[in-house]
Amino acid sequence: MASAALLLPLLSSGPAATAEEPPSSGALQRDFAAAAERYGVPQNVLLAVSYLQSRWDTHGGAPSVTGGYGPMHLTDARTALAEAAHHSDGEEDARGDDSRAARLATEAALPEAAELPARLRTLERAAELSGLSAEELRTSPAANIQGGAALLAAAQRESGRPASDDPADWFGAVARYSGADDTATATTYANDVFDVIRTGERRTTDSGQTVALAPAPDVAPDTGQAATLGLRTADKGLTECPPTVACEWIPAPYEEFGDGDYGNHDKANRPISQQIDYIVVHDTEASWDVTLKLVQDPTYVSWQYSLRSSDGHIAQHLSLKDVGWHAGNWFVNAKSVGLEHEGFLTAPDSWYTEAMYRTSARLVRYLAARYDIPIDRQHILGHDTVPGTTTATIRGMHTDPGPYWDWAHYFRLLGRPITPSAGPDAGVVTIRPEYAAHQPVYTGCVKAGEACAPHGSGAVRLHTGPSESAPLVKDIGLRPGGQDSTTGVNDTGARASTGQQFAVAERRGDWTAVWYLGQKAWFHNPKEQPTAVNARGPVLTPRAGLAEVPVYGRAYPEAAAYPAGVPVQAVSPLPYKLLAGQRYVVGDRTPGEYYFAPVFDTTGHRVVRGQEEYYEIQFGHRVAFVKAADVRILQD
């Protein structure tokens, strides 16, 4: 299994060939009603549990990142493992400091089926209880819902409680359904389910089904039922988490090996020494158990938090004041917090549970409030939007969480839904396709050049002209020879992602052009199904008299800022140019900074801060930096 820190989607062969065709609208609602009646489970409990797992989507019979199938997320990781194609992308130095030896993560093997915990084998139990075959439970939404209801009913019986019609009596069974092995996580999961029951939900699923759960605001369960399940008590230790999530302290080691080598992170004193400006979202190619083993290996790399897919459980590994080695860019590492989201069976149309999305969003909101981090895509970064540090590192940078992470839903959970903020002639657009309906073709999930299974995506593809037949724009950093970008699932050279903002270069019918990597890039943006919303905000362009300005992957100080004993770090431009007449959306203005931490002994660690200032910009799929002295700010 690829490193939990380098985090590239592990892509499998796609949905089962026998997955059902979408039934008539309303059928899924009836399936929930029938299963609830058969097993004596309150219908709103069954609906709410399913919502927290899958948002009622069927995913065409394809497994989630942890081998869960169908609306009830019945886990059959053995089958998913057998179908999984293991590959990784990039050879990134996770530490990203070229003044030190590279810190590369190693590959890890896929786990044996016998090693899988019970929470990844719930489909077996559902088959025993329901009498339905494993194949039916994987591929038939109706059967899957029956299996989930059978599991809930069994959990209620095993707790010694009757199959009551009152949803409030089912808190313990819901907590058990989470698969959590500790009381706090099981309680948090059940609290989320009952929050859905109280507030209600309604949505159209990926199979075109309209499913509704009427609000029941007066439901007040006995949350103490979770304490009777016999689960362990997780060690909160030194965790720094909001009270609305379950958090456990599993520390990463800080150890010296001799010959100047040490791991697996750097001690620091943030935010006193440096501001924390970024939160980096990763996904992992390791199971939960393997993830924890990796981050506790002193010879490995590190990150601040890991999040478990099945129930949203969070483990914290580093104090927030310390610097993890996770993003492949030392400037970003020194000023960021890394969040790793579990996923080791990621299929071409992989999906993440609502439970994990929700706890991740709560954690991000907490961190953003604590460190005054704006909730936007220039501060809440995907690993795939962190820039290479130099020209030589661009091709090795990783591409997770990739085009299947639902940024629009994530930002709704963050309380910052992506909405228009300007009229039709705005000079800025925010990328926002309709995730489920927007299904661009990606290739290379299993074999190079072979199409991935169709699936919703939050990314749009960029062309050299206003036509699907026009070539994709080039990324000379990824392909110095000037070759076109591709439709590869890991090729970010011609891709713009939900929430990213770009300056408009031209509009022509159903097509919009933006400035991207120093060129005009077109994407399909029809009025009847737009893939972007209009926005306003500051943009920058080269100052008068400059035909072009260099672009950087890090904002390092000028040479004069370095004191004696601290080696000067090269201010190395990337191979791109920002040309006169082009405009790019502005993020932070930041002084040039370098955190000098080359040895285990922290006595000599220090932050070098210069007079040279930089602007962060949305330059391509990845962010970049330009010197403030080279540009002027405009308001669009």
Side-chain angles (χ1 to χ4, degrees), residues 20 57 237 310 347 392 544 574:
E20 289 185 346
D57 286 336
S310 59
L574 300 177

Side-chain angles (χ1 to χ4, degrees), residues 569-595:
Q569 302 301 302
V571 180
S572 177
L574 300 177
Y576 314 105
K577 299 292 184 184
L578 194 165
L579 304 178
Q582 297 182 0
R583 299 182 177 192
Y584 293 86
V585 173
V586 178
D588 282 341
R589 180 168 177 145
T590 181
E593 290 184 349
Y594 173 65
Y595 180 41

Side-chain angles (χ1 to χ4, degrees), residues 418 429-433 458 460 496-502 523 531-533:
I418 299 165
V429 290
T430 307
I431 303 300
R432 195 203 65 181
V460 299
S497 183
T498 292
Q500 293 182 330
Q501 292 189 317
F502 298 91
F523 66 97
T531 52
V533 297

Side-chain angles (χ1 to χ4, degrees), residues 12-350:
S12 83
S13 58
T18 56
E20 289 185 346
E21 293 299 313
S24 61
S25 184
L28 199 62
Q29 186 92 51
R30 292 191 293 273
D31 290 338
F32 279 108
E37 182 177 1
R38 176 179 177 182
Y39 288 100
V41 180
Q43 189 176 159
N44 53 1
V45 170
L46 187 62
L47 281 163
V49 167
S50 177
Y51 186 87
L52 203 66
Q53 291 291 351
S54 68
R55 298 175 71 218
W56 304 322
D57 286 336
T58 62
H59 299 277
S64 73
V65 295
T66 47
Y69 291 84
M72 298 304 297
H73 196 248
L74 302 180
T75 53
D76 183 10
R78 285 192 178 95
T79 296
L81 276 170
E83 297 175 352
H86 179 210
H87 76 247
S88 183
D89 190 67
E91 298 175 352
E92 176 183 272
D93 168 14
R95 185 159 54 190
D97 181 2
D98 54 15
S99 71
R100 294 185 277 179
R103 176 63 59 156
L104 301 175
T106 57
E107 292 280 318
L110 287 167
E112 296 294 331
E115 300 172 354
L116 296 171
R119 66 183 177 84
L120 298 182
R121 294 182 285 109
T122 63
L123 191 138
E124 296 174 15
R125 173 73 167 145
E128 294 170 2
L129 293 167
S130 68
L132 297 168
S133 71
E135 181 69 8
E136 287 179 287
L137 293 170
R138 283 193 297 269
T139 61
S140 165
N144 188 272
I145 294 167
Q146 294 273 348
L151 286 173
L152 279 166
Q156 184 77 344
R157 288 194 304 273
E158 290 161 5
S159 70
R161 297 181 179 87
S164 167
D165 293 334
D166 184 353
D169 294 334
W170 287 74
F171 191 91
V174 170
R176 175 72 76 185
Y177 191 95
S178 71
D181 62 351
D182 72 281
T183 302
T185 302
T187 301
T188 300
Y189 176 92
N191 279 333
D192 274 345
V193 168
F194 279 86
D195 181 62
V196 173
I197 291 172
R198 284 187 288 267
T199 59
E201 290 289 350
R202 181 185 181 89
R203 71 182 295 265
T204 300
T205 71
D206 60 357
S207 61
Q209 297 286 298
T210 299
V211 180
L213 170 59
D218 297 329
V219 172
D222 175 11
T223 59
Q225 290 180 9
T228 68
L229 299 178
L231 305 177
R232 70 184 178 91
T233 299
D235 179 11
K236 291 186 177 181
L238 302 177
T239 56
E240 298 158 285
C241 293
T244 53
V245 303
C247 208
E248 178 176 14
W249 179 247
I250 301 178
Y254 187 66
E255 295 182 16
E256 190 171 20
F257 315 134
D259 297 324
D261 195 14
Y262 67 99
N264 60 10
H265 59 280
D266 279 296
K267 296 292 186 181
N269 192 27
R270 307 182 308 176
I272 295 173
S273 58
Q274 283 186 288
Q275 292 182 2
I276 296 176
D277 292 331
Y278 310 106
I279 297 168
V280 182
V281 172
H282 304 261
D283 70 22
T284 171
E285 285 188 357
S287 68
W288 183 252
D289 293 340
V290 172
T291 297
L292 298 186
K293 289 177 182 177
L294 290 172
V295 78
Q296 293 177 93
D297 181 349
T299 67
Y300 200 63
V301 295
S302 59
W303 51 94
Q304 276 78 16
Y305 298 95
S306 296
L307 292 94
R308 192 161 61 199
S309 179
S310 59
D311 53 23
H313 178 68
I314 298 173
Q316 183 173 354
H317 312 298
L318 301 178
S319 168
L320 291 171
K321 67 183 179 62
D322 294 332
V323 175
W325 301 343
H326 60 93
N329 182 315
W330 182 242
F331 178 82
V332 173
N333 277 343
K335 296 169 72 66
S336 72
V337 174
L339 276 59
E340 310 283 9
H341 297 80
E342 181 195 13
F344 68 94
L345 298 174
T346 311
D349 53 357
S350 64

